[in-house]
């Protein structure tokens, strides 16, 4: 087992040291333009670092697009003409965003929480796992792959008789002055065929899945409620944007 998982508590807490502060929680109803969202996110993170804005989480959906993280390999972009491709400063490789996928951008000040990137990623994974548990989906971490995975015993086993598994949520973050931005994407009912234009996160041996693919017809608002409850368990209280 690698050090990232071996050294972590089963339920990491990232509460703000200032218990009077709540995280602003904002849900965007319309599809969000990626470039404009990225610019706004960078501006908000800078204000948080200066102490001029409160921490926040943005929940949204993007139109179909691919993003390339700092570790992206050109060979993993299978079809560069399928959707717009955006270079981004987050960690990770290529991923897809589109309608039916809940994207959560997390802007937290780790100076007021825990200045431990490895533990922060594990906390984000736990946030997703706890959300999935609400819908009786067993999400799991993997030693060599960031994100959350679901075993698929109904699918043919892989080489070496390994159980098939699919990725249901991706994580890609960036820190600047210990303020996080970018975040997670959770597949609710996206068009899974759209992932075929990339090697998602550079992983060739496993697929992707969604709530819908697992036979669960769950609405986005239902998922949002579960995300918020699980977030508060790990990161502390939230407040609706005024």
């Amino acid at each position: 087992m690698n050090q990232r998982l071996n050294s972590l508590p089963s339920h990491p807490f990232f509460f703000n040291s200032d218990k009077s502060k709540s995280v602003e929680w904002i849900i965007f109803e319309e599809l969000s333009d990626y470039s404009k969202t990225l610019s706004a996110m960078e501006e908000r993170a800078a204000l948080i670092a200066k102490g001029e804005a409160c921490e926040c989480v943005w929940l949204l959906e993007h139109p179909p697009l691919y993003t390339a993280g700092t570790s992206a390999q050109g060979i993993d972009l299978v079809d560069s003409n399928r959707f717009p491709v955006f270079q981004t400063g987050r960690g990770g490789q290529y991923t897809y965003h589109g309608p039916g996928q809940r994207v959560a951008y997390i802007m937290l000040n780790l100076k007021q929480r825990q200045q431990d990137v490895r533990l922060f990623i594990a906390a984000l994974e736990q946030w997703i796992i706890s959300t999935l548990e609400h819908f009786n989906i067993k999400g799991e971490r993997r030693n060599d792959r960031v994100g959350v995975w679901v075993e698929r015993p109904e699918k043919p086993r892989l080489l070496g008789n390994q159980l098939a598994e699919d990725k249901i949520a991706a994580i890609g973050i960036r820190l600047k002055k210990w303020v996080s931005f970018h975040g997670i994407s959770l597949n609710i009912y996206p068009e899974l065929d759209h992932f075929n234009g990339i090697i998602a996160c550079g992983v060739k041996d496993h697929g992707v899945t969604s709530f819908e693919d697992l036979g669960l017809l769950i609405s986005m608002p239902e998922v949002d409620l579960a995300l918020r409850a699980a977030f508060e368990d790990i990161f502390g209280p939230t407040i609706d944007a005024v």
Side-chain angles (χ1 to χ4, degrees):
M1 182 176 289
N2 74 11
Q3 186 178 8
R4 180 174 69 87
L5 298 184
N6 200 30
S7 61
L8 294 173
S10 60
H11 195 108
F13 291 87
F14 256 81
F15 287 173
N16 194 317
S17 57
D18 185 346
K19 296 182 180 179
S20 68
K21 293 186 177 180
S22 298
V23 177
E24 189 176 57
W25 192 266
I26 305 174
I27 299 175
F28 296 85
E29 300 296 340
E30 304 295 329
L31 294 181
S32 299
D33 177 272
Y34 187 80
S35 294
K36 291 179 180 178
T37 301
L38 180 60
S39 295
M41 180 167 48
E42 291 174 343
E43 291 175 7
R44 181 62 178 260
L47 291 174
I48 293 170
K50 293 177 183 178
E52 297 176 3
C54 65
E55 298 175 308
C56 62
V57 172
W58 294 350
L59 299 184
L60 50 84
E61 296 172 81
H62 288 301
L65 58 90
Y66 298 128
T67 67
T70 55
S71 300
Q73 304 293 320
I75 195 173
D76 290 338
L77 182 57
V78 177
D79 186 354
S80 61
N81 297 317
R82 189 166 190 174
F83 298 123
V85 180
F86 294 88
Q87 302 295 322
T88 178
R90 62 160 176 80
Q93 302 185 47
Y94 282 103
T95 194
Y96 165 77
H97 293 317
Q101 181 191 72
R102 176 50 89 208
V103 174
Y105 290 132
I106 302 104
M107 286 154 272
L108 301 180
N109 187 349
L110 299 195
K111 283 187 176 180
Q112 296 178 342
R113 295 173 181 272
Q114 297 186 55
Q115 292 178 250
D116 187 325
V117 178
R118 190 175 65 240
L119 192 61
F120 179 52
I121 292 173
L124 294 176
E125 289 174 336
Q126 185 59 50
W127 176 28
I128 298 165
I129 289 169
S130 296
T131 300
L132 294 174
E133 285 177 352
H134 180 81
F135 301 100
N136 296 315
I137 300 173
K138 185 180 181 182
E140 298 180 334
R141 296 182 176 94
R142 288 294 174 259
N143 296 346
D144 56 346
R145 295 174 253 134
V146 174
V148 176
W149 301 80
V150 176
E151 291 186 342
R152 306 300 300 273
E154 75 279 12
K155 290 187 173 183
R157 286 181 174 263
L158 305 176
L159 291 176
N161 206 34
Q162 183 182 359
L163 193 66
E165 58 187 31
D166 293 333
K167 192 171 193 175
I168 195 168
I171 297 173
I173 63 166
R174 183 178 178 184
L175 295 176
K176 191 171 184 179
K177 296 183 179 180
W178 285 104
V179 174
S180 67
F181 51 112
H182 295 280
I184 71 167
S185 56
L186 179 60
N187 297 331
I188 313 305
Y189 44 84
E191 177 53 66
L192 294 181
D193 177 71
H194 290 174
F195 283 90
N196 293 337
I198 56 172
I199 303 298
C201 302
V203 179
K204 299 179 180 179
D205 297 332
H206 301 287
V208 291
T209 190
S210 66
F211 280 56
E212 184 179 57
D213 185 50
L214 295 171
L216 296 173
L217 302 180
I218 307 296
S219 70
M220 196 69 75
E222 289 177 284
V223 174
D224 290 345
L225 287 172
L227 278 167
R228 189 167 187 170
F231 180 92
E232 291 183 335
D233 284 344
I234 298 171
F235 297 99
T238 63
I239 187 171
D240 293 325
V242 177

